[in-house]
């Protein structure tokens, strides 16, 4: 093992790499030049990282930066060893260098993996705090400056090549890189590290091609030239880094100087502003005091601790105290004795919390009388939110206070009156409630009685029909068998008996129909009045022909109702119109309808005998007739049935007419709701 370390740099026993294989000068230069360029780049990166750590000592993960620098540096020396292997085969040293590189590489990996979550969190926090990608939003001038820096670097590199061409007769192949080093130093001072490296690469390429043996080729054959080239690269990078550092330091110094000058100038401006502000403040305070002396209110000012340092003239005129005697805490002595503790405690609370001060108290006037005042104060705060002074006022509210007391008494009296009125109203409401309960009970009893009456009428009609049928049957038998043998007077009695039985039967049928309006009601359906009236007209066709009349029917709508009751309604109305016609005048009945908002208005009019309008309500009552039975047959129940049917359907029925001028019956029925499509 000792022999290995003693011969670490000994090439004995090894052949230079260029002696193995068909290496041409161009191929050797390609490999050597590439490895040297990589070595110079790898050497520059650690220098930048170290410079960053020295200038920014608070950079997080500094140890990770150090590991990266060592890793990149070891990689660079590995490439340097590969370049030297072509002429100096120190394979033992190259192997040790690769081992070191491997150890440093894995150390960096092992250190980087645990730090990834922390780096991710750091990037997330930085991204959250950043107001945007600064570089992405850099001004256009900064971008142009960056481009011109590299243009300047390229021009400097080319200038170094041309200057070397001018001195070529004197220098030959010696000192080939001196001018290039000077160009690199100058560019690093002017434009920074990146442009200086660009100048280095451009000048190095041109000098190698034009002035290093063999010329007009990028191949460097002589070991001395290769070493000079490597030294030039190393020195160029170092000079670029040093020049960049000097440039940064120069800029910092200039920025610090400019900042100091700006601070000094700002200080002078601030002092001038303060002087102006103090002058303006003095003028403002003088104006404030002058203005405060002429306002009708009492005005006062205190320090942040509550010390009263100013009162306007109104205070001294009202209280009559000597000037300055109420400064500090003396103000509380002019308050009413009952108000002093409350006013002092409220003022101290405002001083402690910074809340606005507001209170009502009584102040002693110069003649000893007390008047009510409203005390108010607001704090003035500086930019930091601290109270610097208090501004307060005292407003005379004695008249308003006394008016408020009178108003309160009036309100109390009015409230008492209202309470008495409310009590009376409650008693009246209670009495009305009892009356309504009695009326409700009476209505329930009436409904029950009506239901019993309807049921009785329905039962009685059935029970009364049987004896009437027997009377009619026996009357028919009497006329058939014994009619020829009966005297005329007896036959008249029989005829009257049969007529009376018939009228009684029709009356019972009408009463039965009247009771069935509610007892035999059917659910409402959509009823076509046109079809219903057409059926009624067909049923009354013989009666119309008998009297020579006709029925004219217009366009009729559909309504929601009981079909059988709708038929009975128009049967009675049209039948009455045909029945009550004038002698010698053929009856004409017209049935029409029109829409009135949410209702249909159906009219049945005729040219009959008519009636006086004063009887318009009477004709709808049960058993009410305007003519004798000898003139027109009937029981006086038909129109009562019509009204009951219309009432059940939520409508109204009215009549109007004039003697010998016909009559018109107006029936109003609710229009059905529109039918949805598809129903």
């Amino acid at each position: 093992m000792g022999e290995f370390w003693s011969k670490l740099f000994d090439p004995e026993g090894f052949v230079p790499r260029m002696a193995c294989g068909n290496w041409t000068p161009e191929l050797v230069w390609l490999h050597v030049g590439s490895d040297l360029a990589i070595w110079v780049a790898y050497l520059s990166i650690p220098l930048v990282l170290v410079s960053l750590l020295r200038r920014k000592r608070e950079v997080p993960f500094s140890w990770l930066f150090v590991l990266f620098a060592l890793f990149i540096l070891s990689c660079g020396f590995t490439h340097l060893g590969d370049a030297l292997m072509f002429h100096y085969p120190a394979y033992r040293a190259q192997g040790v260098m690769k081992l070191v590189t491997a150890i440093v590489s894995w150390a960096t990996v092992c250190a980087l993996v645990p730090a990834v979550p922390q780096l991710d969190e750091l990037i997330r926090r930085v991204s959250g705090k950043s107001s945007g990608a600064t570089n992405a939003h850099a001004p256009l001038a900064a971008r142009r400056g960056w481009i011109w820096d590299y243009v300047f670097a390229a021009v400097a590199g080319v200038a170094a090549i041309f200057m070397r061409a001018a001195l070529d007769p004197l220098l030959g192949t010696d000192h080939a890189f001196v001018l290039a080093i000077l160009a690199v130093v100058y560019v690093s001072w002017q434009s920074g590290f990146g442009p200086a490296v660009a100048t280095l690469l451009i000048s190095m390429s041109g000098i190698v091609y034009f002035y290093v043996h063999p010329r007009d080729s990028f191949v460097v054959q002589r070991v001395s030239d290769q070493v000079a080239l490597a030294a030039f690269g190393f020195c160029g990078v170092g000079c670029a880094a040093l020049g960049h550092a000097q440039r940064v330091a120069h800029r910092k110094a200039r920025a610090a100087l400019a900042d100091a000058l700006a601070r000094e100038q700002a200080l002078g401006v601030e002092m001038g502003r303060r002087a102006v502000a103090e002058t303006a403040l003095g003028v403002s305070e003088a104006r404030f005091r002058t203005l405060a002396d002429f306002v009708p209110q009492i005005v006062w000012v205190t320090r942040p601790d509550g010390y009263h340092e100013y009162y306007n003239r109104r205070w001294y005129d009202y209280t009559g105290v000597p000037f300055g005697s109420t400064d500090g805490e003396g103000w509380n002595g002019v308050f009413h004795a009952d108000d002093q503790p409350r006013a002092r405690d409220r003022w101290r609370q405002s001083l402690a919390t910074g809340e606005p001060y507001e209170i009502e108290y009584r102040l002693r006037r110069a003649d000893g009388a007390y008047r009510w005042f409203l005390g108010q104060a607001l704090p003035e705060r500086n930019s930091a939110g601290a109270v610097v002074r208090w501004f307060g006022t005292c407003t005379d509210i004695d008249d308003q206070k006394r008016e408020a007391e009178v108003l309160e008494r009036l309100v109390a009296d009015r409230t008492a009156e209202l309470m008495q009125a409310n009590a009376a109203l409650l008693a009246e409401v209670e009495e009305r409630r009892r009356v309504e309960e009695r009326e409700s009970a009476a209505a329930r009893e009436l409904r029950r009685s009506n239901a019993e009456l309807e049921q009785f009428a329905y039962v009685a009609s059935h029970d009364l029909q049987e004896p009437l049928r027997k009377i009619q049957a026996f009357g028919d038998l009497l006329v058939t068998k014994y009619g020829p043998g009966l005297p005329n007077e007896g036959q008249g009695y029989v005829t009257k008996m049969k007529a009376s039985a018939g009228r009684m039967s029709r009356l019972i049928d009408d009463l039965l129909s009247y009771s069935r309006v509610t007892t035999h009601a059917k659910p409402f359906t959509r009823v076509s009045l046109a079809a219903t009236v057409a059926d009624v007209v067909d049923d009354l066709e013989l009666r119309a022909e008998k009297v020579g009349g006709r029925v004219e029917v217009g366009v009729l709508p559909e309504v929601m109702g009981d079909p059988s009751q709708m038929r009975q309604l128009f049967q009675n109305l049209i039948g009455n119109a045909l029945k009550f016609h004038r002698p010698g005048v053929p009856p004409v009945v017209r049935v029409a309808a029109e829409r009135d908002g949410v209702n249909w208005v159906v009219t049945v009019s005729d040219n009959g005998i008519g009636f006086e309008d004063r009887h318009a309500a009477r004709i709808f009552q049960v058993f009410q007739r305007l003519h004798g039975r000898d003139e027109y047959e009937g029981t006086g129940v038909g129109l009562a049935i019509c009204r009951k049917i219309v009432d059940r359907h939520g409508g109204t029925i009215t009549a109007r007419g004039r003697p010998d001028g016909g009559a018109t019956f107006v029936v109003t029925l609710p229009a059905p709701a529109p039918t949805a499509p598809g129903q």
Side-chain angles (χ1 to χ4, degrees):
M1 194 65 178
E3 183 182 359
F4 176 83
W5 292 107
S6 62
K7 296 183 178 181
L8 183 62
F9 296 99
D10 187 2
E12 184 180 355
F14 299 99
V15 179
R17 184 175 294 175
M18 63 179 299
C20 303
N22 297 324
W23 289 92
T24 62
E26 290 80 5
L27 186 58
V28 171
W29 172 240
L30 176 62
H31 281 267
V32 173
S34 300
D35 284 329
L36 290 177
I38 294 173
W39 171 64
V40 172
Y42 279 9
L43 189 63
S44 303
I45 294 175
L47 292 176
V48 175
L49 293 177
V50 171
S51 175
L52 175 64
L53 292 176
R54 290 187 62 184
R55 287 188 290 108
K56 301 289 184 180
R57 298 186 181 275
E58 69 278 4
V59 173
F61 307 103
S62 57
W63 51 272
L64 195 58
F65 278 86
V66 173
L67 279 178
F68 266 111
L70 292 176
F71 164 68
I72 296 172
L73 189 63
S74 60
C75 290
F77 277 102
T78 301
H79 282 279
L80 177 62
D82 286 339
L84 294 176
M85 288 298 103
F86 281 89
H87 301 283
Y88 190 81
Y91 282 99
R92 296 183 183 88
Q94 179 69 356
V96 172
M97 193 66 243
K98 289 185 177 181
L99 177 62
V100 171
T101 302
I103 295 173
V104 174
S105 301
W106 278 105
T108 304
V109 172
C110 295
L112 180 61
V113 172
V116 168
Q118 302 177 36
L119 288 170
D120 183 60
E121 178 65 22
L122 178 63
I123 293 172
R124 188 159 49 246
R125 284 192 282 111
V126 171
S127 300
K129 294 180 180 179
S130 176
S131 60
T134 305
N135 292 336
H137 298 282
L140 183 60
R143 297 185 180 181
R144 289 179 177 176
W146 177 81
I147 295 173
W148 283 112
D149 283 342
Y150 279 91
V151 171
F152 174 70
V155 171
V158 174
I161 295 173
F162 280 105
M163 290 179 66
R164 179 63 179 79
L167 298 175
D168 187 62
L170 299 176
L171 299 178
T173 58
D174 297 330
H175 310 291
F177 302 103
V178 174
L179 294 176
I181 286 292
L182 295 177
V184 169
V185 171
Y186 181 73
V187 171
S188 65
W189 286 350
Q190 297 297 323
S191 302
F193 181 78
V197 173
T199 301
L200 173 66
L201 296 176
I202 293 172
S203 60
M204 183 171 62
S205 301
I207 291 172
V208 167
Y209 186 82
F210 292 110
Y211 310 114
V212 176
H213 181 78
R215 299 195 176 192
D216 298 330
S217 173
F218 286 107
V219 178
V220 181
Q221 294 181 349
R222 294 184 302 187
V223 176
S224 60
D225 291 336
Q226 294 175 358
V227 173
L229 179 62
F232 168 66
F234 179 77
C235 293
V237 172
C239 290
L242 292 175
H244 178 74
Q246 184 179 6
R247 177 172 179 265
V248 172
H250 179 67
R251 285 189 173 184
K252 287 184 177 180
R254 291 184 61 183
L257 179 59
D259 184 61
L261 292 175
R263 288 175 182 270
E264 183 178 359
Q265 184 179 4
L267 181 60
V269 173
E270 182 64 23
M271 291 178 65
R273 288 179 179 176
R274 287 190 179 182
V276 174
E278 290 176 358
T279 303
L281 181 60
V283 174
S284 177
E285 288 184 356
R287 290 177 179 175
F288 168 75
R289 293 175 184 269
T290 302
L291 178 63
D293 285 339
F294 285 95
V295 297
Q297 291 177 303
I298 295 174
V299 179
W300 45 272
V301 181
T302 76
R303 299 171 185 171
D305 58 357
Y307 183 89
H308 286 66
E309 61 181 9
Y310 170 75
Y311 296 94
N312 68 340
R313 182 186 303 173
R314 173 66 176 160
W315 168 263
Y316 296 106
D317 292 343
Y318 177 82
T319 61
V321 298
F323 182 80
S325 61
T326 54
D327 290 354
E329 296 290 335
W331 54 272
N332 205 33
V334 297
F335 285 13
H336 193 282
D338 295 340
D339 300 334
Q340 289 180 9
R342 182 169 54 88
R344 184 187 299 108
D345 294 342
R346 182 68 184 88
W347 175 238
R348 289 176 178 174
Q349 179 184 357
S350 294
L351 291 176
T353 61
E355 297 176 352
Y357 172 74
E358 182 172 336
I359 190 174
E360 294 180 359
Y361 43 62
R362 288 162 287 183
L363 287 180
R364 186 181 65 245
R365 201 164 53 187
D367 59 0
Y370 284 92
R371 291 182 64 85
W372 281 98
F373 278 78
L374 172 63
Q376 294 176 304
L378 289 175
E380 179 187 2
R381 302 178 184 272
N382 57 17
S383 59
V387 177
V388 294
R389 64 175 57 87
W390 289 81
F391 291 93
T393 61
C394 297
T395 306
D396 191 334
I397 60 170
D398 192 77
D399 295 337
Q400 296 92 319
K401 193 78 172 178
R402 299 186 189 281
E403 291 175 359
E405 292 175 355
V406 174
L407 183 60
E408 288 178 359
R409 287 195 298 270
L410 292 175
V411 170
D413 296 341
R414 184 57 179 165
T415 302
E417 294 176 0
L418 289 176
M419 292 181 64
Q420 294 176 358
N422 287 338
L425 182 60
L426 289 175
E428 183 179 353
V429 170
E430 181 64 22
E431 180 63 25
R432 289 186 179 181
R433 185 184 63 80
R434 289 194 293 268
V435 171
E436 289 177 356
E437 289 179 354
R438 290 194 295 269
E439 291 178 351
S440 177
R444 290 195 298 272
E445 180 64 22
L446 180 61
R447 287 194 296 271
R448 185 189 62 78
S449 177
N450 288 338
E452 291 178 355
L453 287 175
E454 291 177 357
Q455 186 66 22
F456 171 76
Y458 178 72
V459 174
S461 64
H462 282 79
D463 294 342
L464 292 175
Q465 286 285 7
E466 184 61 26
L468 288 175
R469 282 194 291 270
K470 289 183 179 181
I471 290 173
Q472 290 177 334
F474 285 124
D476 291 338
L477 290 175
L478 185 61
V479 171
T480 302
K481 292 184 178 183
Y482 306 105
L486 291 175
N488 292 333
E489 185 178 3
Q491 291 181 1
Y493 291 155
V494 172
T495 301
K496 290 180 179 180
M497 179 187 68
K498 291 178 62 180
S500 297
R503 287 196 301 272
M504 187 65 181
S505 178
R506 289 193 296 275
L507 177 60
I508 292 173
D509 289 339
D510 288 343
L511 289 174
L512 182 61
S513 299
Y514 184 80
S515 66
R516 283 179 174 176
V517 172
T518 55
T519 58
H520 285 66
K522 297 179 181 179
F524 287 0
T525 59
R526 201 173 266 273
V527 179
S528 172
L529 295 185
T532 301
V533 172
D535 292 342
V536 170
V537 172
D538 288 342
D539 292 344
L540 298 175
E541 182 178 3
L542 293 178
R543 184 185 299 184
E545 291 178 353
K546 182 178 180 181
V547 297
R550 71 179 187 274
V551 180
E552 299 176 357
V553 182
V555 179
L556 299 179
E558 291 185 347
V559 297
M560 295 299 296
D562 186 335
S564 61
Q565 291 184 358
M566 287 291 104
R567 181 185 180 90
Q568 187 174 8
L569 170 65
F570 287 99
Q571 181 96 18
N572 292 351
L573 293 177
I574 298 174
N576 283 352
L578 294 173
K579 179 171 64 174
F580 294 103
H581 67 278
R582 287 180 290 171
V585 179
V588 177
V589 183
R590 294 181 177 85
V591 183
E594 64 179 3
R595 185 70 177 261
D596 183 14
V598 297
N599 297 317
W600 281 106
V601 180
V602 184
T603 58
V604 180
S605 59
D606 59 59
N607 62 343
I609 62 176
F611 58 88
E612 295 182 2
D613 280 341
R614 60 190 178 89
H615 299 305
R618 176 185 170 193
I619 62 177
F620 291 105
Q621 298 177 4
V622 182
F623 304 133
Q624 295 298 319
R625 297 174 55 88
L626 301 181
H627 306 88
R629 294 187 181 89
D630 296 337
E631 296 180 77
Y632 298 99
E633 63 178 2
T635 60
V637 182
L639 290 180
I641 293 175
C642 291
R643 185 179 67 177
K644 196 167 187 179
I645 291 174
V646 173
D647 289 343
R648 179 173 178 257
H649 286 73
T652 60
I653 181 171
T654 58
R656 62 179 181 270
R658 64 179 184 275
D660 294 331
T664 300
F665 289 85
V666 181
V667 179
T668 302
L669 296 172
T675 303
Q679 293 186 353

